[in-house]
mmCIF file of all heavy atoms in Angstrom:
data_model
loop_
_atom_site.group_PDB
_atom_site.id
_atom_site.type_symbol
_atom_site.label_atom_id
_atom_site.label_comp_id
_atom_site.label_asym_id
_atom_site.label_seq_id
_atom_site.Cartn_x
_atom_site.Cartn_y
_atom_site.Cartn_z
ATOM 1 N N ALA A 1 32.790 2.697 -3.091
ATOM 2 C CA ALA A 1 31.704 3.524 -3.611
ATOM 3 C C ALA A 1 30.936 2.794 -4.704
ATOM 4 O O ALA A 1 31.525 2.167 -5.579
ATOM 5 C CB ALA A 1 32.267 4.852 -4.148
ATOM 6 N N PHE A 2 29.606 2.897 -4.655
ATOM 7 C CA PHE A 2 28.740 2.340 -5.673
ATOM 8 C C PHE A 2 27.934 3.460 -6.333
ATOM 9 O O PHE A 2 27.528 4.419 -5.667
ATOM 10 C CB PHE A 2 27.749 1.328 -5.061
ATOM 11 C CG PHE A 2 28.374 0.020 -4.685
ATOM 12 C CD1 PHE A 2 28.879 -0.181 -3.411
ATOM 13 C CD2 PHE A 2 28.456 -1.019 -5.605
ATOM 14 C CE1 PHE A 2 29.455 -1.389 -3.058
ATOM 15 C CE2 PHE A 2 29.031 -2.235 -5.255
ATOM 16 C CZ PHE A 2 29.528 -2.409 -3.985
ATOM 17 N N SER A 3 27.705 3.310 -7.637
ATOM 18 C CA SER A 3 26.771 4.193 -8.334
ATOM 19 C C SER A 3 25.339 3.793 -7.970
ATOM 20 O O SER A 3 25.058 2.629 -7.713
ATOM 21 C CB SER A 3 26.965 4.086 -9.846
ATOM 22 O OG SER A 3 28.302 4.357 -10.220
ATOM 23 N N SER A 4 24.436 4.757 -7.946
ATOM 24 C CA SER A 4 23.036 4.485 -7.621
ATOM 25 C C SER A 4 22.430 3.499 -8.604
ATOM 26 O O SER A 4 22.451 3.734 -9.808
ATOM 27 C CB SER A 4 22.231 5.780 -7.624
ATOM 28 O OG SER A 4 22.684 6.674 -6.634
ATOM 29 N N ASN A 5 21.881 2.404 -8.072
ATOM 30 C CA ASN A 5 21.257 1.374 -8.901
ATOM 31 C C ASN A 5 19.776 1.307 -8.523
ATOM 32 O O ASN A 5 19.353 0.453 -7.745
ATOM 33 C CB ASN A 5 21.931 0.020 -8.658
ATOM 34 C CG ASN A 5 21.466 -1.053 -9.619
ATOM 35 O OD1 ASN A 5 20.408 -0.946 -10.238
ATOM 36 N ND2 ASN A 5 22.248 -2.107 -9.767
ATOM 37 N N TYR A 6 18.983 2.250 -9.060
ATOM 38 C CA TYR A 6 17.608 2.371 -8.626
ATOM 39 C C TYR A 6 16.728 1.208 -9.065
ATOM 40 O O TYR A 6 15.701 0.929 -8.452
ATOM 41 C CB TYR A 6 17.027 3.707 -9.099
ATOM 42 C CG TYR A 6 17.725 4.891 -8.473
ATOM 43 C CD1 TYR A 6 18.471 5.787 -9.234
ATOM 44 C CD2 TYR A 6 17.674 5.095 -7.099
ATOM 45 C CE1 TYR A 6 19.131 6.841 -8.648
ATOM 46 C CE2 TYR A 6 18.339 6.161 -6.514
ATOM 47 C CZ TYR A 6 19.066 7.023 -7.294
ATOM 48 O OH TYR A 6 19.720 8.082 -6.713
ATOM 49 N N THR A 7 17.128 0.523 -10.123
ATOM 50 C CA THR A 7 16.392 -0.684 -10.520
ATOM 51 C C THR A 7 16.485 -1.743 -9.436
ATOM 52 O O THR A 7 15.482 -2.351 -9.047
ATOM 53 C CB THR A 7 16.950 -1.227 -11.847
ATOM 54 O OG1 THR A 7 16.861 -0.233 -12.847
ATOM 55 C CG2 THR A 7 16.174 -2.462 -12.274
ATOM 56 N N LEU A 8 17.685 -1.967 -8.925
ATOM 57 C CA LEU A 8 17.890 -2.927 -7.848
ATOM 58 C C LEU A 8 17.170 -2.485 -6.590
ATOM 59 O O LEU A 8 16.458 -3.272 -5.940
ATOM 60 C CB LEU A 8 19.390 -3.091 -7.573
ATOM 61 C CG LEU A 8 19.776 -3.989 -6.391
ATOM 62 C CD1 LEU A 8 19.381 -5.440 -6.656
ATOM 63 C CD2 LEU A 8 21.277 -3.876 -6.091
ATOM 64 N N TYR A 9 17.332 -1.212 -6.204
ATOM 65 C CA TYR A 9 16.728 -0.718 -4.959
ATOM 66 C C TYR A 9 15.208 -0.808 -5.007
ATOM 67 O O TYR A 9 14.554 -1.160 -4.031
ATOM 68 C CB TYR A 9 17.159 0.728 -4.673
ATOM 69 C CG TYR A 9 18.648 0.959 -4.722
ATOM 70 C CD1 TYR A 9 19.175 2.205 -5.044
ATOM 71 C CD2 TYR A 9 19.553 -0.069 -4.451
ATOM 72 C CE1 TYR A 9 20.542 2.424 -5.091
ATOM 73 C CE2 TYR A 9 20.926 0.150 -4.494
ATOM 74 C CZ TYR A 9 21.410 1.392 -4.835
ATOM 75 O OH TYR A 9 22.767 1.611 -4.881
ATOM 76 N N GLY A 10 14.626 -0.474 -6.177
ATOM 77 C CA GLY A 10 13.181 -0.514 -6.303
ATOM 78 C C GLY A 10 12.621 -1.917 -6.138
ATOM 79 O O GLY A 10 11.605 -2.134 -5.488
ATOM 80 N N ASP A 11 13.325 -2.910 -6.724
ATOM 81 C CA ASP A 11 12.842 -4.281 -6.630
ATOM 82 C C ASP A 11 12.977 -4.824 -5.206
ATOM 83 O O ASP A 11 12.076 -5.485 -4.696
ATOM 84 C CB ASP A 11 13.617 -5.168 -7.601
ATOM 85 C CG ASP A 11 13.028 -6.581 -7.685
ATOM 86 O OD1 ASP A 11 11.862 -6.709 -8.088
ATOM 87 O OD2 ASP A 11 13.730 -7.530 -7.312
ATOM 88 N N ILE A 12 14.088 -4.540 -4.537
ATOM 89 C CA ILE A 12 14.263 -4.986 -3.156
ATOM 90 C C ILE A 12 13.216 -4.306 -2.252
ATOM 91 O O ILE A 12 12.697 -4.917 -1.328
ATOM 92 C CB ILE A 12 15.693 -4.707 -2.670
ATOM 93 C CG1 ILE A 12 16.674 -5.624 -3.422
ATOM 94 C CG2 ILE A 12 15.813 -4.928 -1.175
ATOM 95 C CD1 ILE A 12 18.134 -5.401 -3.068
ATOM 96 N N SER A 13 12.909 -3.049 -2.540
ATOM 97 C CA SER A 13 11.885 -2.336 -1.777
ATOM 98 C C SER A 13 10.535 -3.026 -1.909
ATOM 99 O O SER A 13 9.807 -3.193 -0.909
ATOM 100 C CB SER A 13 11.770 -0.895 -2.253
ATOM 101 O OG SER A 13 10.712 -0.218 -1.605
ATOM 102 N N ARG A 14 10.178 -3.433 -3.107
ATOM 103 C CA ARG A 14 8.910 -4.131 -3.316
ATOM 104 C C ARG A 14 8.866 -5.435 -2.516
ATOM 105 O O ARG A 14 7.821 -5.788 -1.930
ATOM 106 C CB ARG A 14 8.685 -4.405 -4.803
ATOM 107 C CG ARG A 14 8.283 -3.185 -5.596
ATOM 108 C CD ARG A 14 7.880 -3.554 -7.018
ATOM 109 N NE ARG A 14 9.016 -3.971 -7.814
ATOM 110 C CZ ARG A 14 9.794 -3.125 -8.500
ATOM 111 N NH1 ARG A 14 9.555 -1.834 -8.480
ATOM 112 N NH2 ARG A 14 10.810 -3.584 -9.221
ATOM 113 N N ARG A 15 9.970 -6.149 -2.461
ATOM 114 C CA ARG A 15 10.019 -7.376 -1.691
ATOM 115 C C ARG A 15 9.870 -7.082 -0.184
ATOM 116 O O ARG A 15 9.195 -7.807 0.546
ATOM 117 C CB ARG A 15 11.335 -8.114 -1.962
ATOM 118 C CG ARG A 15 11.475 -8.581 -3.416
ATOM 119 C CD ARG A 15 12.903 -8.986 -3.746
ATOM 120 N NE ARG A 15 13.074 -9.275 -5.157
ATOM 121 C CZ ARG A 15 13.347 -10.451 -5.674
ATOM 122 N NH1 ARG A 15 13.525 -11.485 -4.870
ATOM 123 N NH2 ARG A 15 13.457 -10.627 -6.974
ATOM 124 N N PHE A 16 10.533 -6.013 0.255
ATOM 125 C CA PHE A 16 10.475 -5.566 1.645
ATOM 126 C C PHE A 16 9.029 -5.264 2.049
ATOM 127 O O PHE A 16 8.533 -5.729 3.073
ATOM 128 C CB PHE A 16 11.387 -4.343 1.787
ATOM 129 C CG PHE A 16 11.289 -3.576 3.064
ATOM 130 C CD1 PHE A 16 11.175 -4.203 4.300
ATOM 131 C CD2 PHE A 16 11.343 -2.178 3.039
ATOM 132 C CE1 PHE A 16 11.108 -3.465 5.469
ATOM 133 C CE2 PHE A 16 11.288 -1.441 4.206
ATOM 134 C CZ PHE A 16 11.152 -2.082 5.419
ATOM 135 N N MET A 17 8.343 -4.508 1.232
ATOM 136 C CA MET A 17 6.957 -4.132 1.523
ATOM 137 C C MET A 17 6.018 -5.343 1.494
ATOM 138 O O MET A 17 5.046 -5.412 2.266
ATOM 139 C CB MET A 17 6.460 -3.063 0.548
ATOM 140 C CG MET A 17 7.304 -1.772 0.550
ATOM 141 S SD MET A 17 7.409 -1.020 2.201
ATOM 142 C CE MET A 17 8.620 0.293 1.887
ATOM 143 N N SER A 18 6.290 -6.293 0.625
ATOM 144 C CA SER A 18 5.443 -7.486 0.561
ATOM 145 C C SER A 18 5.573 -8.335 1.824
ATOM 146 O O SER A 18 4.610 -8.975 2.246
ATOM 147 C CB SER A 18 5.780 -8.315 -0.679
ATOM 148 O OG SER A 18 7.068 -8.902 -0.580
ATOM 149 N N VAL A 19 6.756 -8.353 2.438
ATOM 150 C CA VAL A 19 6.930 -9.076 3.701
ATOM 151 C C VAL A 19 6.107 -8.401 4.803
ATOM 152 O O VAL A 19 5.384 -9.062 5.558
ATOM 153 C CB VAL A 19 8.420 -9.135 4.099
ATOM 154 C CG1 VAL A 19 8.565 -9.774 5.498
ATOM 155 C CG2 VAL A 19 9.229 -9.925 3.088
ATOM 156 N N LEU A 20 6.173 -7.081 4.884
ATOM 157 C CA LEU A 20 5.427 -6.348 5.913
ATOM 158 C C LEU A 20 3.926 -6.468 5.717
ATOM 159 O O LEU A 20 3.159 -6.401 6.683
ATOM 160 C CB LEU A 20 5.850 -4.873 5.911
ATOM 161 C CG LEU A 20 7.310 -4.595 6.252
ATOM 162 C CD1 LEU A 20 7.582 -3.089 6.212
ATOM 163 C CD2 LEU A 20 7.685 -5.165 7.620
ATOM 164 N N ALA A 21 3.495 -6.658 4.467
ATOM 165 C CA ALA A 21 2.066 -6.778 4.175
ATOM 166 C C ALA A 21 1.437 -8.015 4.823
ATOM 167 O O ALA A 21 0.209 -8.101 4.934
ATOM 168 C CB ALA A 21 1.843 -6.813 2.660
ATOM 169 N N GLN A 22 2.261 -8.944 5.271
ATOM 170 C CA GLN A 22 1.755 -10.150 5.922
ATOM 171 C C GLN A 22 1.225 -9.891 7.336
ATOM 172 O O GLN A 22 0.539 -10.715 7.900
ATOM 173 C CB GLN A 22 2.842 -11.217 5.971
ATOM 174 C CG GLN A 22 3.377 -11.632 4.599
ATOM 175 C CD GLN A 22 4.576 -12.546 4.719
ATOM 176 O OE1 GLN A 22 4.976 -12.944 5.819
ATOM 177 N NE2 GLN A 22 5.184 -12.879 3.602
ATOM 178 N N PHE A 23 1.550 -8.737 7.918
ATOM 179 C CA PHE A 23 1.238 -8.489 9.310
ATOM 180 C C PHE A 23 -0.036 -7.688 9.539
ATOM 181 O O PHE A 23 -0.573 -7.663 10.652
ATOM 182 C CB PHE A 23 2.413 -7.776 9.984
ATOM 183 C CG PHE A 23 3.647 -8.626 10.106
ATOM 184 C CD1 PHE A 23 4.579 -8.694 9.083
ATOM 185 C CD2 PHE A 23 3.853 -9.398 11.241
ATOM 186 C CE1 PHE A 23 5.713 -9.485 9.184
ATOM 187 C CE2 PHE A 23 4.981 -10.201 11.355
ATOM 188 C CZ PHE A 23 5.910 -10.243 10.320
ATOM 189 N N VAL A 24 -0.534 -7.008 8.492
ATOM 190 C CA VAL A 24 -1.748 -6.200 8.628
ATOM 191 C C VAL A 24 -2.567 -6.297 7.352
ATOM 192 O O VAL A 24 -2.046 -6.656 6.294
ATOM 193 C CB VAL A 24 -1.410 -4.705 8.893
ATOM 194 C CG1 VAL A 24 -0.771 -4.515 10.259
ATOM 195 C CG2 VAL A 24 -0.533 -4.141 7.789
ATOM 196 N N PRO A 25 -3.877 -5.978 7.405
ATOM 197 C CA PRO A 25 -4.673 -5.899 6.181
ATOM 198 C C PRO A 25 -4.149 -4.801 5.254
ATOM 199 O O PRO A 25 -3.468 -3.880 5.704
ATOM 200 C CB PRO A 25 -6.090 -5.563 6.700
ATOM 201 C CG PRO A 25 -6.071 -5.921 8.142
ATOM 202 C CD PRO A 25 -4.682 -5.734 8.620
ATOM 203 N N PRO A 26 -4.458 -4.859 3.955
ATOM 204 C CA PRO A 26 -3.936 -3.892 2.992
ATOM 205 C C PRO A 26 -4.217 -2.439 3.363
ATOM 206 O O PRO A 26 -3.356 -1.564 3.165
ATOM 207 C CB PRO A 26 -4.652 -4.274 1.682
ATOM 208 C CG PRO A 26 -5.011 -5.710 1.847
ATOM 209 C CD PRO A 26 -5.285 -5.908 3.298
ATOM 210 N N GLU A 27 -5.417 -2.169 3.894
ATOM 211 C CA GLU A 27 -5.778 -0.785 4.232
ATOM 212 C C GLU A 27 -5.026 -0.259 5.456
ATOM 213 O O GLU A 27 -5.080 0.942 5.756
ATOM 214 C CB GLU A 27 -7.293 -0.650 4.453
ATOM 215 C CG GLU A 27 -7.846 -1.397 5.666
ATOM 216 C CD GLU A 27 -8.200 -2.855 5.358
ATOM 217 O OE1 GLU A 27 -7.807 -3.357 4.287
ATOM 218 O OE2 GLU A 27 -8.872 -3.481 6.202
ATOM 219 N N GLU A 28 -4.297 -1.128 6.159
ATOM 220 C CA GLU A 28 -3.572 -0.715 7.347
ATOM 221 C C GLU A 28 -2.058 -0.725 7.131
ATOM 222 O O GLU A 28 -1.282 -0.755 8.076
ATOM 223 C CB GLU A 28 -3.980 -1.583 8.543
ATOM 224 C CG GLU A 28 -5.436 -1.344 8.946
ATOM 225 C CD GLU A 28 -5.976 -2.259 10.010
ATOM 226 O OE1 GLU A 28 -5.243 -3.199 10.410
ATOM 227 O OE2 GLU A 28 -7.122 -2.059 10.437
ATOM 228 N N GLN A 29 -1.663 -0.690 5.860
ATOM 229 C CA GLN A 29 -0.264 -0.541 5.488
ATOM 230 C C GLN A 29 -0.121 0.721 4.642
ATOM 231 O O GLN A 29 -0.843 0.913 3.666
ATOM 232 C CB GLN A 29 0.247 -1.748 4.697
ATOM 233 C CG GLN A 29 1.708 -1.597 4.247
ATOM 234 C CD GLN A 29 2.204 -2.781 3.411
ATOM 235 O OE1 GLN A 29 1.424 -3.458 2.766
ATOM 236 N NE2 GLN A 29 3.507 -3.022 3.417
ATOM 237 N N GLU A 30 0.796 1.584 5.003
ATOM 238 C CA GLU A 30 1.087 2.779 4.240
ATOM 239 C C GLU A 30 2.570 2.793 3.875
ATOM 240 O O GLU A 30 3.427 2.901 4.739
ATOM 241 C CB GLU A 30 0.760 4.051 5.018
ATOM 242 C CG GLU A 30 1.123 5.344 4.249
ATOM 243 C CD GLU A 30 0.946 6.603 5.045
ATOM 244 O OE1 GLU A 30 0.067 6.638 5.946
ATOM 245 O OE2 GLU A 30 1.679 7.577 4.792
ATOM 246 N N ILE A 31 2.849 2.656 2.576
ATOM 247 C CA ILE A 31 4.234 2.716 2.096
ATOM 248 C C ILE A 31 4.608 4.186 2.011
ATOM 249 O O ILE A 31 4.148 4.915 1.148
ATOM 250 C CB ILE A 31 4.363 2.022 0.736
ATOM 251 C CG1 ILE A 31 3.997 0.536 0.877
ATOM 252 C CG2 ILE A 31 5.785 2.165 0.196
ATOM 253 C CD1 ILE A 31 3.946 -0.224 -0.440
ATOM 254 N N TYR A 32 5.451 4.602 2.934
ATOM 255 C CA TYR A 32 5.787 6.023 3.047
ATOM 256 C C TYR A 32 6.906 6.437 2.094
ATOM 257 O O TYR A 32 6.883 7.533 1.547
ATOM 258 C CB TYR A 32 6.161 6.350 4.496
ATOM 259 C CG TYR A 32 6.476 7.812 4.712
ATOM 260 C CD1 TYR A 32 5.483 8.772 4.671
ATOM 261 C CD2 TYR A 32 7.776 8.226 4.963
ATOM 262 C CE1 TYR A 32 5.766 10.109 4.854
ATOM 263 C CE2 TYR A 32 8.079 9.555 5.159
ATOM 264 C CZ TYR A 32 7.070 10.505 5.103
ATOM 265 O OH TYR A 32 7.372 11.833 5.282
ATOM 266 N N SER A 33 7.891 5.577 1.931
ATOM 267 C CA SER A 33 8.997 5.855 1.002
ATOM 268 C C SER A 33 9.585 4.526 0.577
ATOM 269 O O SER A 33 9.084 3.462 0.932
ATOM 270 C CB SER A 33 10.060 6.740 1.668
ATOM 271 O OG SER A 33 10.722 6.039 2.700
ATOM 272 N N ILE A 34 10.665 4.569 -0.191
ATOM 273 C CA ILE A 34 11.276 3.352 -0.715
ATOM 274 C C ILE A 34 11.756 2.428 0.403
ATOM 275 O O ILE A 34 11.785 1.204 0.239
ATOM 276 C CB ILE A 34 12.434 3.695 -1.668
ATOM 277 C CG1 ILE A 34 12.880 2.452 -2.456
ATOM 278 C CG2 ILE A 34 13.610 4.331 -0.919
ATOM 279 C CD1 ILE A 34 13.850 2.751 -3.587
ATOM 280 N N ASP A 35 12.072 2.992 1.581
ATOM 281 C CA ASP A 35 12.612 2.182 2.669
ATOM 282 C C ASP A 35 11.861 2.340 3.995
ATOM 283 O O ASP A 35 12.348 1.903 5.035
ATOM 284 C CB ASP A 35 14.095 2.500 2.891
ATOM 285 C CG ASP A 35 14.324 3.952 3.289
ATOM 286 O OD1 ASP A 35 13.407 4.776 3.123
ATOM 287 O OD2 ASP A 35 15.444 4.266 3.769
ATOM 288 N N GLU A 36 10.676 2.954 3.968
ATOM 289 C CA GLU A 36 9.893 3.167 5.183
ATOM 290 C C GLU A 36 8.447 2.770 4.971
ATOM 291 O O GLU A 36 7.861 3.044 3.923
ATOM 292 C CB GLU A 36 9.923 4.643 5.606
ATOM 293 C CG GLU A 36 11.280 5.181 6.008
ATOM 294 C CD GLU A 36 11.203 6.671 6.292
ATOM 295 O OE1 GLU A 36 11.141 7.461 5.327
ATOM 296 O OE2 GLU A 36 11.203 7.043 7.470
ATOM 297 N N CYS A 37 7.857 2.170 6.004
ATOM 298 C CA CYS A 37 6.477 1.711 5.904
ATOM 299 C C CYS A 37 5.788 1.826 7.260
ATOM 300 O O CYS A 37 6.318 1.394 8.282
ATOM 301 C CB CYS A 37 6.461 0.257 5.428
ATOM 302 S SG CYS A 37 4.804 -0.425 5.195
ATOM 303 N N PHE A 38 4.601 2.451 7.261
ATOM 304 C CA PHE A 38 3.772 2.522 8.458
ATOM 305 C C PHE A 38 2.803 1.333 8.474
ATOM 306 O O PHE A 38 2.245 0.961 7.447
ATOM 307 C CB PHE A 38 2.956 3.822 8.506
ATOM 308 C CG PHE A 38 3.750 5.042 8.869
ATOM 309 C CD1 PHE A 38 4.122 5.961 7.897
ATOM 310 C CD2 PHE A 38 4.087 5.279 10.188
ATOM 311 C CE1 PHE A 38 4.835 7.095 8.236
ATOM 312 C CE2 PHE A 38 4.819 6.411 10.542
ATOM 313 C CZ PHE A 38 5.186 7.321 9.554
ATOM 314 N N LEU A 39 2.592 0.761 9.656
ATOM 315 C CA LEU A 39 1.640 -0.313 9.853
ATOM 316 C C LEU A 39 0.719 0.072 11.013
ATOM 317 O O LEU A 39 1.192 0.565 12.039
ATOM 318 C CB LEU A 39 2.339 -1.639 10.158
ATOM 319 C CG LEU A 39 3.364 -2.136 9.124
ATOM 320 C CD1 LEU A 39 4.121 -3.333 9.675
ATOM 321 C CD2 LEU A 39 2.700 -2.487 7.806
ATOM 322 N N ASP A 40 -0.580 -0.155 10.848
ATOM 323 C CA ASP A 40 -1.554 0.194 11.888
ATOM 324 C C ASP A 40 -2.016 -1.076 12.600
ATOM 325 O O ASP A 40 -2.707 -1.910 12.025
ATOM 326 C CB ASP A 40 -2.748 0.916 11.252
ATOM 327 C CG ASP A 40 -3.673 1.540 12.297
ATOM 328 O OD1 ASP A 40 -3.562 1.182 13.484
ATOM 329 O OD2 ASP A 40 -4.500 2.391 11.922
ATOM 330 N N PHE A 41 -1.625 -1.208 13.875
ATOM 331 C CA PHE A 41 -1.992 -2.359 14.678
ATOM 332 C C PHE A 41 -3.121 -2.041 15.673
ATOM 333 O O PHE A 41 -3.357 -2.804 16.606
ATOM 334 C CB PHE A 41 -0.770 -2.879 15.450
ATOM 335 C CG PHE A 41 0.278 -3.520 14.578
ATOM 336 C CD1 PHE A 41 1.422 -2.836 14.226
ATOM 337 C CD2 PHE A 41 0.105 -4.813 14.100
ATOM 338 C CE1 PHE A 41 2.396 -3.428 13.433
ATOM 339 C CE2 PHE A 41 1.072 -5.418 13.300
ATOM 340 C CZ PHE A 41 2.217 -4.705 12.968
ATOM 341 N N THR A 42 -3.828 -0.923 15.441
ATOM 342 C CA THR A 42 -4.870 -0.505 16.369
ATOM 343 C C THR A 42 -5.951 -1.562 16.558
ATOM 344 O O THR A 42 -6.454 -1.759 17.666
ATOM 345 C CB THR A 42 -5.512 0.818 15.891
ATOM 346 O OG1 THR A 42 -4.483 1.803 15.685
ATOM 347 C CG2 THR A 42 -6.517 1.330 16.895
ATOM 348 N N HIS A 43 -6.272 -2.251 15.473
ATOM 349 C CA HIS A 43 -7.318 -3.271 15.526
ATOM 350 C C HIS A 43 -6.797 -4.628 15.955
ATOM 351 O O HIS A 43 -7.519 -5.640 15.869
ATOM 352 C CB HIS A 43 -8.022 -3.366 14.174
ATOM 353 C CG HIS A 43 -8.693 -2.078 13.768
ATOM 354 N ND1 HIS A 43 -8.193 -1.254 12.795
ATOM 355 C CD2 HIS A 43 -9.794 -1.468 14.272
ATOM 356 C CE1 HIS A 43 -8.978 -0.186 12.678
ATOM 357 N NE2 HIS A 43 -9.957 -0.293 13.559
ATOM 358 N N GLN A 44 -5.577 -4.664 16.432
ATOM 359 C CA GLN A 44 -5.009 -5.878 17.048
ATOM 360 C C GLN A 44 -4.530 -5.503 18.446
ATOM 361 O O GLN A 44 -3.322 -5.552 18.733
ATOM 362 C CB GLN A 44 -3.873 -6.429 16.186
ATOM 363 C CG GLN A 44 -4.250 -6.732 14.736
ATOM 364 C CD GLN A 44 -3.095 -7.300 13.924
ATOM 365 O OE1 GLN A 44 -2.522 -8.333 14.274
ATOM 366 N NE2 GLN A 44 -2.749 -6.640 12.835
ATOM 367 N N PRO A 45 -5.454 -5.149 19.358
ATOM 368 C CA PRO A 45 -5.085 -4.568 20.663
ATOM 369 C C PRO A 45 -4.316 -5.511 21.578
ATOM 370 O O PRO A 45 -3.608 -5.048 22.474
ATOM 371 C CB PRO A 45 -6.439 -4.184 21.275
ATOM 372 C CG PRO A 45 -7.430 -5.080 20.594
ATOM 373 C CD PRO A 45 -6.923 -5.261 19.199
ATOM 374 N N HIS A 46 -4.475 -6.824 21.386
ATOM 375 C CA HIS A 46 -3.825 -7.776 22.284
ATOM 376 C C HIS A 46 -2.429 -8.177 21.790
ATOM 377 O O HIS A 46 -1.749 -8.967 22.448
ATOM 378 C CB HIS A 46 -4.704 -9.015 22.459
ATOM 379 C CG HIS A 46 -6.081 -8.697 22.976
ATOM 380 N ND1 HIS A 46 -6.293 -8.125 24.219
ATOM 381 C CD2 HIS A 46 -7.309 -8.843 22.402
ATOM 382 C CE1 HIS A 46 -7.588 -7.945 24.408
ATOM 383 N NE2 HIS A 46 -8.230 -8.356 23.318
#
């Protein structure tokens, strides 16, 4: 069992989102929660 370490989780989340940001323009990324992210690939049809 671990105690909640939100400082660690928040920083890893930021790194996670920055990796996903490489795949779409900024306006086509929606950070939904600390561990979930929507990406819009509509303008990359192929």
